[in-house]
Amino acid sequence: MSDKKPLFVFKDVHVEVEGKEVVKGVSLTINKGEIHAVMGPNGSGKSSLSNALMGHPDYTITKGEVSLNGKNVKEMSADERSRAGMFLAFQYPTAIPGVSVANFLRTALKAHRGKDADMSDFRKLLKAEMKNLSIDPSFATRYLNDGFSGGEKKRVEILQMSILNPKIALLDETDSGLDIDALKTVSEGINRFHNEENGILLVTHYQRLLNYVKPDFVHVLMDGRFVKSGGPELALKLEESGYDWVENEIRQKAKV
Amino acid sequence: MSESIKRQNKELSALNEDYAAKYGFHDPVNYFHKGAKGINHEVVEMISRMKKEPKWMAQKRHEALDIFLSKPIPQWGNTEMLNELDLDNIYYFMKPIEKQQHSWDDVPEYIKKTFDKLGIPEAERKFLGGVSAQYESEVVYHSMKQDLEKQGIIFLDMDTGLQKHGDLVKKYFGTVIPATDNKYAALNTSVWSGGSFLYIPPGVDVKIPLQAYFRINAENMGQFERTLIIADKGSRVHYIEGCTAPIYSTDSLHSGVIELIALEGAYIRYTTIQNWSNNIYNLVTQRAQAHKNATVEWVDGNLGSRLTMKYPCVQLVGEGARGEILSVAFAGTGQHQDAGAKIIHAAPNTSSRITSKSISKGKGRASYRGLVKIHKNAINSKASVECDALLIGEDARSDTYPTMEIDNEQVRVEHEARVSKVAEEQLFYLTSRGLTEDEARLLIVNGFMEPFTKELPLEYAVELNRLIELEMEGSVG
């Protein structure tokens, strides 16, 4: 256990949206090489947490600490967090009409590296990563998320992650809207990305993604709080018994 | 007398000699005579006499002046701005020497900065800043000119065109835009000077875009330029006018007239990007006539100016003719881009498409004013109109005034209009990928303009993107 190196840490994080507290004090430490899953029913605060961690201006962290490799990121803007090594795969990626996937990725890479990527290196990288994710080459010149199906958007999110190669990836409901083949492809992409130096936080409602991407830890978020943590078996139990089971358990405890 | 003034005077007198040699103008007394402000028949007479024009043109000018004087100032559009323009306080004809009255020091700071940032060469800066009358592009143009001549292409400034090809000019001049069309077209017809005259013989396909830029000089960038392009049967040409660099002029009014004629089976694309300094009223009439199976495309970009009123038009007069208008306007604080498009379907099986994009920033205002008219005989015609407006900031304004006049039922007409803002969600998405907020906003704006920029020759597209970048700098969403 002594070789564990904390990568992404948040402590007692509270999040407010339009003056309402939706995340009420959550803490987590993700060490290098670890995959954590945050599971919870609709409205439990999952998306608010991932948006707030990435620095969405509408999701204010009113209290708590967030750090990456020991560096405080709470005061950073979203772009600074990205350049520091954070990535959020969106549940609903936004369309940017007129901006091609290739042009966008090249611009994003430039923002990260501080200089233009070599054109032919970039093309090779893009081509290879697109092939890995079974994305048709024509998508390079298509406008970002403009008219993409749900599954295509999710693949392109993972494509961006592969190319930007962040230290910590927050994946918000990446499995939603995917058919079984797409789910496999996307999962393979996530597993290819994962290594001993980076970390992943999977935010999901369902267990099915976790059949393909094996988490080291599972945390259950309800009403803005982590109410239970465990290993991968917790996800299976949730799948089997539903979130009611956790709720009942909490109620029982409260009675005692 | 300071050195710089001496030098300037020397330059000016050198210019004087050059002008005399070039245009055969040998009246030193008149030459230094400073024309008066305002307009009357004497001024028109003087213009025509100095140009040694044929009688018919002089007569046209005088008739047009009467029309100009009798027509009221338009009571639509931005009447407030239009009424501020004092038509009596304008020089309607300035001899080149008089145009050189301001020095580099008088050129506004923001124009100079833009030149710097765009990396405009020294010689060009002076020209664009209105300090020098001549941009030295003769060398570039010369070899190309010979090549064009071999193909029978006539590419001249309008004054020379009239001198050398009077019959051709007479046949088409004012046939698409008569002086009676509107007050400013009448004004242009009475005092026009400079502009381009282009004739493409039957069947000739001009492979490279022809650019007015190659032979730019004060004359054809004048206040009242007149352009006439005739593409004879089955010929093809792409003509490019203007440039993205800002053009500074002390004249407050620019009022051009541009007539295009595409004869049977011909193709004309006319690309303009104009970026006037923000003191200028840009009131331009652009109209094309497309004959049987001919195609005319206007690609029209409007930046800068105080008020632009410009509605490129295609009259589809022959069966199977096609017209397309693609326009983009950028309005910053203090500016009103009242731009649009007009298509007249006057023959069967004609088709048209209008795509209009506008960006308003700060307190800028962009209006789309459009007309699609389908005559009774224009059966089986198709028309589509798409207007997109992007607002940046809370005070930006966009209006749409579309008009459809459809006189028969066997047609297909589509209309779509959208107004959008740079959305918070788009900004967060892009910033979460490492782009700063300014970079993200610029990428969104460039994306919005993409359907327009992708139609431009590469160097223009690159320049336009850089210019938009400058316009966007430090803008607050």
Side-chain angles (χ1 to χ4, degrees):
Chain A
M1 292 307 239
S2 61
D3 61 339
K4 281 190 176 172
K5 293 173 199 139
L7 172 69
F8 186 61
V9 180
F10 52 90
K11 275 187 206 149
D12 192 29
V13 164
H14 292 248
V15 178
E16 247 182 55
V17 184
E18 291 170 352
K20 192 178 164 235
E21 191 171 73
V22 287
V23 175
K24 301 164 182 171
V26 292
S27 304
L28 194 63
T29 296
I30 300 178
N31 295 307
K32 283 184 179 175
E34 285 179 358
I35 299 178
H36 289 239
V38 170
M39 298 184 71
N42 289 333
S44 58
K46 300 191 301 289
S47 275
S48 300
L49 177 62
S50 40
N51 275 306
L53 291 175
M54 195 63 223
H56 193 303
D58 292 348
Y59 297 79
T60 320
I61 297 181
T62 50
K63 198 181 159 203
E65 311 278 320
V66 187
S67 68
L68 176 65
N69 276 332
K71 207 168 148 191
N72 176 20
V73 299
K74 209 179 88 179
E75 308 306 325
M76 290 183 181
S77 58
D79 58 304
E80 288 166 340
R81 291 183 205 205
S82 166
R83 294 196 298 271
M86 291 182 67
F87 182 88
L88 170 64
F90 284 67
Q91 185 179 3
Y92 302 111
T94 312
I96 314 288
V99 178
S100 71
V101 169
N103 179 16
F104 160 67
L105 276 171
R106 204 153 173 257
T107 309
L109 260 189
K110 187 184 174 184
H112 279 253
R113 295 177 178 175
K115 62 177 189 341
D116 267 315
D118 176 80
M119 200 58 179
S120 85
D121 288 351
F122 172 72
R123 280 212 190 103
K124 270 182 220 155
L125 174 68
L126 182 61
K127 213 176 147 187
E129 293 296 345
M130 286 176 81
K131 197 172 172 224
N132 280 338
L133 289 160
S134 304
I135 299 171
D136 191 89
S138 66
F139 273 72
T141 54
R142 283 188 57 184
Y143 298 152
L144 184 61
N145 297 325
D146 198 12
F148 289 13
S149 71
E152 287 161 353
K153 284 182 188 171
K154 296 299 170 73
R155 284 173 205 242
V156 169
E157 291 294 290
I158 301 305
L159 172 71
Q160 294 175 39
M161 180 180 76
S162 316
I163 286 180
L164 294 177
N165 196 22
K167 293 183 185 117
I168 178 80
L170 318 171
L171 309 182
D172 189 5
E173 306 270 359
T174 293
D175 52 334
S176 70
L178 295 184
D179 62 28
I180 189 71
D181 290 332
L183 182 65
K184 271 188 186 167
T185 314
V186 161
S187 304
E188 282 164 17
I190 297 169
N191 288 328
R192 246 193 324 272
F193 158 76
H194 183 233
N195 61 35
E196 285 309 305
E197 288 301 307
N198 61 29
I200 295 175
L201 183 67
L202 299 168
V203 175
T204 180
H205 185 109
Y206 298 104
Q207 193 268 338
R208 60 179 202 149
L209 177 68
L210 308 182
N211 289 333
Y212 302 95
V213 181
K214 292 276 171 239
D216 299 295
F217 300 96
V218 175
H219 315 272
V220 182
L221 185 70
M222 283 181 119
D223 191 29
R225 290 186 183 92
F226 285 145
V227 293
K228 203 170 175 60
S229 290
E233 73 286 347
L234 179 57
L236 291 169
K237 175 78 181 160
L238 276 172
E239 181 81 353
E240 209 176 275
S241 316
Y243 288 105
D244 293 348
W245 160 70
V246 190
E247 261 175 61
N248 287 333
E249 202 184 75
I250 296 166
R251 259 186 238 125
Q252 292 299 326
K253 268 188 195 161
K255 276 181 195 165
V256 174
Chain B
M1 197 185 286
S2 80
E3 271 312 300
S4 74
I5 293 177
K6 269 188 210 161
R7 199 169 54 240
Q8 204 178 317
N9 280 351
K10 209 173 149 197
E11 278 174 22
L12 290 180
S13 59
L15 192 81
N16 177 13
E17 286 164 19
D18 185 38
Y19 186 83
K22 257 193 149 130
Y23 298 96
F25 182 56
H26 304 294
D27 190 345
V29 181
N30 258 346
Y31 193 70
F32 289 102
H33 176 263
K34 193 166 158 38
K37 281 179 178 176
I39 186 168
N40 51 47
H41 283 283
E42 268 169 54
V43 173
V44 169
E45 189 59 35
M46 181 185 76
I47 294 169
S48 194
R49 225 181 24 235
M50 284 201 292
K51 288 176 179 291
K52 297 189 162 55
E53 284 176 347
K55 273 217 174 70
W56 68 267
M57 184 57 83
Q59 202 181 334
K60 251 193 200 310
R61 287 183 186 274
H62 284 292
E63 283 166 13
L65 177 61
D66 287 333
I67 295 163
F68 168 72
L69 294 172
S70 70
K71 274 195 191 282
I73 287 168
Q75 289 308 298
W76 50 276
N78 195 327
T79 49
E80 205 177 300
M81 277 193 186
L82 277 177
N83 287 329
E84 279 171 26
L85 176 65
D86 184 359
L87 289 166
D88 294 327
N89 195 28
I90 288 171
Y91 290 104
Y92 287 90
F93 185 67
M94 300 253 271
K95 284 151 285 180
I97 186 117
E98 289 164 354
K99 285 193 174 175
Q100 309 311 311
Q101 281 171 343
H102 66 274
S103 73
W104 185 242
D105 295 338
D106 301 328
V107 177
E109 211 46 47
Y110 79 95
I111 298 266
K112 289 181 186 169
K113 274 191 191 149
T114 312
F115 286 158
D116 272 347
K117 288 175 179 167
L118 286 175
I120 305 282
E122 201 64 32
E124 231 173 298
R125 286 179 193 211
K126 289 206 167 149
F127 173 74
L128 294 166
V131 178
S132 151
Q134 203 77 33
Y135 166 56
E136 289 156 36
S137 58
E138 282 299 316
V139 188
V140 189
Y141 179 56
H142 190 70
S143 63
M144 208 185 86
K145 201 162 86 175
Q146 288 178 329
D147 194 45
L148 295 176
E149 277 168 6
K150 261 186 239 160
Q151 300 177 73
I153 295 162
I154 303 167
F155 187 23
L156 298 166
D157 67 85
M158 195 65 203
D159 293 275
T160 313
L162 177 61
Q163 296 296 343
K164 290 193 172 168
H165 304 274
D167 290 347
L168 205 51
V169 173
K170 192 177 178 186
K171 187 173 171 190
Y172 292 106
F173 186 97
T175 57
V176 186
I177 305 170
T180 47
D181 190 80
N182 67 70
K183 188 173 177 75
Y184 304 100
L187 176 63
N188 175 284
T189 308
S190 67
V191 298
W192 72 266
S193 198
S196 291
F197 177 67
L198 175 61
Y199 171 80
I200 315 293
V204 171
D205 182 356
V206 187
K207 302 280 187 206
I208 50 160
L210 294 181
Q211 308 191 28
Y213 201 47
F214 288 149
R215 36 162 288 269
I216 217 163
N217 61 42
E219 276 296 279
N220 56 49
M221 295 282 286
Q223 270 181 281
F224 302 106
E225 97 267 18
R226 183 92 190 190
T227 287
L228 175 59
I229 297 177
I230 303 141
D232 214 323
K233 288 180 183 176
S235 66
R236 295 176 68 85
V237 66
H238 181 190
Y239 180 83
I240 301 174
E241 186 258 340
C243 52
T244 47
I247 300 162
Y248 175 67
S249 168
T250 47
D251 308 327
S252 49
L253 174 63
H254 170 252
S255 186
V257 164
I258 292 144
E259 296 178 283
L260 313 184
I261 295 145
L263 295 175
E264 190 175 335
Y267 168 92
I268 302 176
R269 170 177 279 205
Y270 188 104
T271 299
T272 331
I273 297 176
Q274 282 179 329
N275 185 15
W276 295 99
S277 51
N278 56 23
N279 57 321
I280 295 207
Y281 284 76
N282 185 32
L283 312 174
V284 179
T285 311
Q286 299 186 171
R287 192 172 303 157
Q289 227 166 49
H291 291 259
K292 193 176 171 185
N293 295 325
T295 297
V296 174
E297 296 166 350
W298 293 104
V299 178
D300 197 53
N302 297 297
L303 296 102
S305 86
R306 175 165 158 75
L307 172 66
T308 286
M309 292 177 82
K310 192 176 183 192
Y311 321 98
C313 168
V314 185
Q315 298 174 333
L316 304 167
V317 298
E319 188 163 355
R322 202 175 70 81
E324 186 159 340
I325 299 162
L326 177 58
S327 69
V328 68
F330 191 108
T333 299
Q335 299 180 323
H336 185 178
Q337 301 283 1
D338 195 309
K342 292 201 276 186
I343 300 266
I344 315 294
H345 291 257
N349 302 312
T350 47
S351 59
S352 68
R353 184 160 69 186
I354 293 171
T355 311
S356 158
K357 301 221 152 224
S358 71
I359 297 165
S360 319
K361 196 195 108 185
K363 289 185 173 149
R365 180 177 171 194
S367 310
Y368 168 79
R369 198 180 297 277
L371 169 71
V372 172
K373 179 164 179 69
I374 302 187
H375 283 273
K376 207 168 178 174
N377 67 330
I379 50 166
N380 296 325
S381 289
K382 282 185 288 189
S384 79
V385 180
E386 196 185 321
C387 304
D388 269 347
L390 184 67
L391 303 177
I392 301 169
E394 292 307 309
D395 300 323
R397 177 172 167 188
S398 158
D399 324 86
T400 309
Y401 309 97
T403 307
M404 300 267 181
E405 293 174 14
I406 296 157
D407 297 336
N408 83 67
E409 285 175 2
Q410 292 163 273
V411 294
R412 209 175 79 207
V413 178
E414 291 162 14
H415 178 91
E416 229 181 290
R418 275 187 298 268
V419 179
S420 52
K421 290 188 172 189
V422 172
E424 283 299 320
E425 286 313 308
Q426 288 179 315
L427 283 180
F428 177 57
Y429 188 74
L430 294 177
T431 53
S432 82
R433 300 304 187 242
L435 279 68
T436 64
E437 214 168 291
D438 279 349
E439 288 166 345
R441 203 174 275 114
L442 179 64
L443 196 67
I444 293 166
V445 170
N446 280 342
F448 178 80
M449 303 253 297
E450 161 76 11
F452 179 83
T453 37
K454 77 173 183 206
E455 294 297 327
L456 299 176
L458 186 65
E459 68 271 27
Y460 279 78
V462 169
E463 245 182 65
L464 185 63
N465 282 343
R466 280 173 70 193
L467 194 70
I468 297 290
E469 193 177 334
L470 294 181
E471 297 276 353
M472 291 292 298
E473 251 173 28
S475 65
V476 187

